[in-house]
PDB file of all heavy atoms in Angstrom:
ATOM      1  N   VAL A  12     -18.204  -2.473   4.403  1.00 94.00           N
ATOM      2  CA  VAL A  12     -19.455  -2.545   3.634  1.00 94.00           C
ATOM      3  C   VAL A  12     -20.455  -3.455   4.337  1.00 94.00           C
ATOM      4  O   VAL A  12     -20.097  -4.548   4.795  1.00 94.00           O
ATOM      5  CB  VAL A  12     -19.182  -3.120   2.218  1.00 94.00           C
ATOM      6  CG1 VAL A  12     -20.500  -3.257   1.448  1.00 94.00           C
ATOM      7  CG2 VAL A  12     -18.211  -2.258   1.464  1.00 94.00           C
ATOM      8  N   CYS A  13     -21.690  -2.961   4.446  1.00 92.00           N
ATOM      9  CA  CYS A  13     -22.805  -3.755   4.922  1.00 92.00           C
ATOM     10  C   CYS A  13     -24.044  -3.237   4.199  1.00 92.00           C
ATOM     11  O   CYS A  13     -24.055  -2.110   3.735  1.00 92.00           O
ATOM     12  CB  CYS A  13     -22.937  -3.621   6.435  1.00 92.00           C
ATOM     13  SG  CYS A  13     -23.833  -5.010   7.114  1.00 92.00           S
ATOM     14  N   VAL A  14     -25.050  -4.042   4.095  1.00 90.00           N
ATOM     15  CA  VAL A  14     -26.221  -3.706   3.273  1.00 90.00           C
ATOM     16  C   VAL A  14     -26.760  -2.312   3.603  1.00 90.00           C
ATOM     17  O   VAL A  14     -26.856  -1.457   2.725  1.00 90.00           O
ATOM     18  CB  VAL A  14     -27.333  -4.763   3.422  1.00 90.00           C
ATOM     19  CG1 VAL A  14     -28.578  -4.342   2.641  1.00 90.00           C
ATOM     20  CG2 VAL A  14     -26.861  -6.124   2.939  1.00 90.00           C
ATOM     21  N   HIS A  15     -27.094  -2.082   4.868  1.00 92.00           N
ATOM     22  CA  HIS A  15     -27.747  -0.808   5.220  1.00 92.00           C
ATOM     23  C   HIS A  15     -26.783   0.261   5.717  1.00 92.00           C
ATOM     24  O   HIS A  15     -27.191   1.413   5.870  1.00 92.00           O
ATOM     25  CB  HIS A  15     -28.837  -1.044   6.252  1.00 92.00           C
ATOM     26  CG  HIS A  15     -29.915  -1.961   5.756  1.00 92.00           C
ATOM     27  ND1 HIS A  15     -30.732  -1.632   4.692  1.00 92.00           N
ATOM     28  CD2 HIS A  15     -30.277  -3.203   6.141  1.00 92.00           C
ATOM     29  CE1 HIS A  15     -31.558  -2.627   4.448  1.00 92.00           C
ATOM     30  NE2 HIS A  15     -31.303  -3.600   5.308  1.00 92.00           N
ATOM     31  N   ASN A  16     -25.522  -0.100   5.942  1.00 94.00           N
ATOM     32  CA  ASN A  16     -24.523   0.847   6.430  1.00 94.00           C
ATOM     33  C   ASN A  16     -25.053   1.610   7.652  1.00 94.00           C
ATOM     34  O   ASN A  16     -24.892   2.805   7.782  1.00 94.00           O
ATOM     35  CB  ASN A  16     -24.115   1.819   5.319  1.00 94.00           C
ATOM     36  CG  ASN A  16     -22.926   2.706   5.701  1.00 94.00           C
ATOM     37  OD1 ASN A  16     -22.944   3.902   5.440  1.00 94.00           O
ATOM     38  ND2 ASN A  16     -21.907   2.146   6.315  1.00 94.00           N
ATOM     39  N   ARG A  19     -23.109  -2.501  11.734  1.00 96.00           N
ATOM     40  CA  ARG A  19     -21.763  -3.108  11.760  1.00 96.00           C
ATOM     41  C   ARG A  19     -20.702  -2.255  11.073  1.00 96.00           C
ATOM     42  O   ARG A  19     -19.642  -1.996  11.655  1.00 96.00           O
ATOM     43  CB  ARG A  19     -21.803  -4.484  11.101  1.00 96.00           C
ATOM     44  CG  ARG A  19     -22.623  -5.482  11.869  1.00 96.00           C
ATOM     45  CD  ARG A  19     -22.840  -6.741  11.062  1.00 96.00           C
ATOM     46  NE  ARG A  19     -23.889  -6.474  10.075  1.00 96.00           N
ATOM     47  CZ  ARG A  19     -24.529  -7.417   9.396  1.00 96.00           C
ATOM     48  NH1 ARG A  19     -24.224  -8.674   9.568  1.00 96.00           N
ATOM     49  NH2 ARG A  19     -25.465  -7.105   8.536  1.00 96.00           N
ATOM     50  N   SER A  20     -20.970  -1.844   9.851  1.00 96.00           N
ATOM     51  CA  SER A  20     -19.962  -1.077   9.115  1.00 96.00           C
ATOM     52  C   SER A  20     -19.713   0.282   9.748  1.00 96.00           C
ATOM     53  O   SER A  20     -18.579   0.778   9.738  1.00 96.00           O
ATOM     54  CB  SER A  20     -20.355  -0.939   7.642  1.00 96.00           C
ATOM     55  OG  SER A  20     -21.655  -0.378   7.510  1.00 96.00           O
ATOM     56  N   ALA A  40     -19.899   2.106   3.687  1.00 95.00           N
ATOM     57  CA  ALA A  40     -20.990   2.271   2.729  1.00 95.00           C
ATOM     58  C   ALA A  40     -21.851   1.016   2.735  1.00 95.00           C
ATOM     59  O   ALA A  40     -21.496  -0.012   3.302  1.00 95.00           O
ATOM     60  CB  ALA A  40     -20.432   2.510   1.315  1.00 95.00           C
ATOM     61  N   GLY A  41     -23.007   1.118   2.059  1.00 93.00           N
ATOM     62  CA  GLY A  41     -23.912   0.003   1.962  1.00 93.00           C
ATOM     63  C   GLY A  41     -24.595  -0.034   0.612  1.00 93.00           C
ATOM     64  O   GLY A  41     -24.758   0.974  -0.051  1.00 93.00           O
ATOM     65  N   SER A  42     -25.019  -1.222   0.206  1.00 89.00           N
ATOM     66  CA  SER A  42     -25.674  -1.384  -1.100  1.00 89.00           C
ATOM     67  C   SER A  42     -27.104  -0.862  -1.082  1.00 89.00           C
ATOM     68  O   SER A  42     -27.652  -0.468  -2.122  1.00 89.00           O
ATOM     69  CB  SER A  42     -25.656  -2.843  -1.538  1.00 89.00           C
ATOM     70  OG  SER A  42     -26.296  -3.639  -0.546  1.00 89.00           O
ATOM     71  N   CYS A  87     -22.681  -9.860   5.815  1.00 73.00           N
ATOM     72  CA  CYS A  87     -24.058  -9.536   5.483  1.00 73.00           C
ATOM     73  C   CYS A  87     -24.441  -9.989   4.088  1.00 73.00           C
ATOM     74  O   CYS A  87     -25.505  -9.653   3.581  1.00 73.00           O
ATOM     75  CB  CYS A  87     -24.277  -8.024   5.619  1.00 73.00           C
ATOM     76  SG  CYS A  87     -23.037  -7.023   4.807  1.00 73.00           S
ATOM     77  N   ASP A  89     -23.255  -8.970   1.383  1.00 63.00           N
ATOM     78  CA  ASP A  89     -23.014  -7.927   0.386  1.00 63.00           C
ATOM     79  C   ASP A  89     -21.753  -8.235  -0.384  1.00 63.00           C
ATOM     80  O   ASP A  89     -20.852  -8.920   0.105  1.00 63.00           O
ATOM     81  CB  ASP A  89     -22.862  -6.563   1.066  1.00 63.00           C
ATOM     82  CG  ASP A  89     -23.886  -5.559   0.596  1.00 63.00           C
ATOM     83  OD1 ASP A  89     -24.821  -5.966  -0.103  1.00 63.00           O
ATOM     84  OD2 ASP A  89     -23.744  -4.383   0.953  1.00 63.00           O
TER      85      ASP A  89
END
Side-chain angles (χ1 to χ4, degrees):
V12 177
C13 202
V14 176
H15 299 296
N16 188 224
R19 294 169 282 195
S20 54
S42 58
C87 49
D89 239 10

